[in-house]
Amino acid sequence: MKYAVAAAALFLTVSPALADKWDLSTMTCQQFISQDKSTIGIILSWLDAYYKDEDAPPVIDTEKFVQNAEKLGTYCAANPQIGLITATDTLFGGD
């Protein structure tokens, strides 16, 4: 229930961005870093969850989140034509 309330609050605060659809599999680093701040935040949050282990506890480590966001921003600025998922797989995939 807590998650539903938090998700609803998030969606209410970013309602203008909800009209868009983002296909992260085709988005380049340049397209990612060119987004507005709230869109980048949504994508970073999704990526943070995507790269967690399946059995990881539902905890957001804000220090690690910010470090990973900075790492991705730096990588994408240096490699603007690389696909976003390729970049995140390289940085956070671990496989």
Side-chain angles (χ1 to χ4, degrees):
M1 184 63 165
K2 291 179 191 177
Y3 297 113
V5 171
L10 175 66
F11 289 131
L12 290 174
T13 61
V14 294
S15 59
L18 293 178
D20 294 332
K21 290 184 182 180
W22 308 301
D23 184 349
L24 301 184
S25 69
T26 61
M27 183 178 282
T28 65
C29 274
Q30 179 62 48
Q31 291 169 323
F32 169 68
I33 60 177
S34 297
Q35 299 296 315
D36 62 77
K37 186 177 179 178
S38 62
T39 301
I40 288 173
I42 293 168
I43 293 171
L44 287 172
S45 296
W46 186 89
L47 290 169
D48 182 63
Y50 183 77
Y51 286 98
K52 287 192 184 299
D53 289 334
E54 185 175 328
D55 296 330
V59 174
I60 298 173
D61 180 341
T62 56
E63 186 174 324
K64 184 176 180 183
F65 182 89
V66 169
Q67 289 172 350
N68 286 344
E70 290 172 351
K71 187 185 295 186
L72 180 59
T74 300
Y75 188 89
C76 279
N79 302 283
Q81 299 308 314
I82 289 180
L84 179 61
I85 297 301
T86 300
T88 55
D89 280 348
T90 299
L91 294 173
F92 312 121
D95 291 335

